[in-house]
Amino acid sequence: MSEKKQVYIVGGGAAGFFAAITCAEANPNLSVTILERGKSVLEKVRISGGGRCNLTHACFQPKPLTKFYPRGEKPLLGPFHQFQCQDTVDWFESRGVKTKVEPDGRMFPVTDRSQTVIDCLLGAAQKAGVRVLKSTRVTKISLANDDSEQWIITTPAKDYRADKLMLATGSNPKIWTLLKEIGHQTISPVPSLFTFNIKDERIKELAGLSVPNALVKVPGTKLVANGPLLITHWGLSGPGVLKLSAWGARLLNEKQYNFSLQVNWLGELNYSTAEQALRKIKEENRLRLVVKYPQFEIPRRLWQRLTTAAGIEEDRKWADLSKKQFNKLVTELTQGTYEVKGKSTFKDEFVTAGGVFLNEVDFKTFKSKNLPNLFFAGEVLNIDAVTGGFNFQAAWTGGWLAGRAMAEVNE
Ligand SMILES: Cc1cc2nc3c(=O)[nH]c(=O)nc-3n(C[C@H](O)[C@H](O)[C@H](O)COP(=O)(O)OP(=O)(O)OC[C@H]3O[C@@H](n4cnc5c(N)ncnc54)[C@H](O)[C@@H]3O)c2cc1C
């Protein structure tokens, strides 16, 4: 009997485990091994989603799903036709992990514990016969010095020889350097999903207040995003800001996180529609104090700050607003400019934009186009998404397709 073919997966995270399980289940004649540098595996799954693991999103059509990926939108369309959010739900449910959808579309295990997802992955890996070697840091990979097209994987303790090699190392810059040395281009890493530091009287000491639907843009660029905005101790956060940070990850890095941000607190209204709406409000509230009665869905204290910024005195009634004050109020509501000076980490989720150059990967199999028998999945690739479970979805999809492809080994 010939020796078992060897599949090695570097990285015991979401992508690595999904690939290993898929590969071992699809071809039990293979030996599948995960090499993990840490003392434990699936660490990011454990801390994800505030310990609840937002494992996917209730978006079940491939095309709309791709729109959540600032990097990877086009290449992921084909893969999502093979394995998308519904497949993730089915995969976990068929292994005993029931999931639930929250009102914003994020999906979690019903237990609200990431440990449920970890236990499922560990159990499935064990059942499929996947070997997991912890505390095993890969320091080098190189093609064997013969015509076998096998890979030599170097770790401090020993070398391993692989018929198929997959890198699922997340955002480890050392692996990108290694890849560059052996002939793969990588895009330099920059952070994505961060919040904006802003010191401004209009939002000072209002931490915790939010508006349900705002629009934020960076004037002079194409960057624009909508969604809820949250005022924090350091500035602005919330889905609108996080989206902008993801789409602008590279540009905002170039600006060293110093830029002007235009905030439309009214979201769907622009300057002229807001002006019309305010005229109506003015007519209907002529004898009321402007500062006292917040309009639209703006919280009371924020409304007071915006009216103050518009130069409206506390005892000013709607009927007595000057044209200048009225116009300035419309501007403050729809086009207020805030100076961003730096960024902060978003507590629930952050990812790295950058990684393996996507043109060099075949997205039918997540296989390298440049080097033989080499596969990638997860954050090692230049793919990342906004918050909501999409980053894990990319890891599951890539892991599944790469796992299936690696299972097709000629005996
Ligand atoms: C705090 C936080 C919360 C998050 N929450 C969510 C969420 O709720 N939903 C969501 O979709 N996304 C979330 N994300 C993003 C998500 O965790 C990542 O996109 C995802 O984990 C990427 O999976 P991966 O397998 O590619 O990489 P990783 O999970 O980073 O796994 C890579 C593994 O490779 C190992 N490794 C690296 N280099 C080597 C080496 N040289 N040798 C051996 N092993 C190596 C690492 O130790 C690690 O275990 C969150 C991220 C953070 C930081």
Side-chain angles (χ1 to χ4, degrees), residues 319-335:
D320 305 328
L321 269 190
S322 71
K323 195 168 185 310
K324 192 174 162 202
Q325 285 171 322
F326 182 88
N327 290 344
K328 185 81 179 41
L329 181 58
V330 184
T331 304
E332 280 299 336
L333 289 168
T334 59
Q335 298 176 352

Side-chain angles (χ1 to χ4, degrees), residues 283-339:
E283 282 316 306
E284 288 167 357
N285 295 276
R286 292 184 65 79
L287 299 178
R288 283 187 153 175
L289 298 176
V290 179
V291 178
K292 274 245 160 120
Y293 295 93
Q295 301 296 330
F296 308 102
E297 288 181 276
I298 306 229
R300 186 178 51 82
R301 287 166 66 214
L302 178 60
W303 173 263
Q304 286 170 348
R305 294 287 179 82
L306 296 177
T307 50
T308 306
I312 300 169
E313 306 86 345
E314 281 190 12
D315 56 355
R316 181 76 62 164
K317 296 191 180 100
W318 279 99
D320 305 328
L321 269 190
S322 71
K323 195 168 185 310
K324 192 174 162 202
Q325 285 171 322
F326 182 88
N327 290 344
K328 185 81 179 41
L329 181 58
V330 184
T331 304
E332 280 299 336
L333 289 168
T334 59
Q335 298 176 352
T337 303
Y338 296 76
E339 291 308 315

Side-chain angles (χ1 to χ4, degrees), residues 191-199 230 232-238 241-242 245-246 252 256-259 340-351 387:
S192 182
L193 299 180
F194 47 84
T195 66
F196 299 160
N197 295 355
I198 298 167
K199 278 199 177 125
L230 172 69
T232 68
H233 290 292
W234 298 274
L236 285 176
S237 178
V241 160
L242 291 170
S245 80
L252 300 181
Q256 302 204 316
Y257 310 105
N258 287 320
F259 56 94
V340 178
K341 301 237 176 290
K343 63 170 177 56
S344 292
T345 305
F346 176 55
K347 64 175 166 27
D348 279 348
E349 195 174 327
F350 50 87
V351 294
T387 63

Side-chain angles (χ1 to χ4, degrees), residues 10-16 35-37 44 47-49 54 136-138 168-170 172 175 347-351 377-379 389-392 395:
V10 188
L35 304 176
E36 166 57 48
R37 67 179 170 183
K44 268 203 188 168
I47 58 170
S48 67
N54 172 202
T136 308
R137 179 189 296 273
V138 171
T169 41
N172 177 355
I175 294 291
K347 64 175 166 27
D348 279 348
E349 195 174 327
F350 50 87
V351 294
E379 231 178 286
F390 305 104
N391 283 301
F392 276 140

Side-chain angles (χ1 to χ4, degrees), residues 143-159:
L143 269 171
N145 217 356
D146 48 34
D147 54 8
S148 64
E149 296 198 336
Q150 289 176 321
W151 285 90
I152 308 296
I153 307 164
T154 308
T155 74
K158 63 181 276 202
D159 286 359

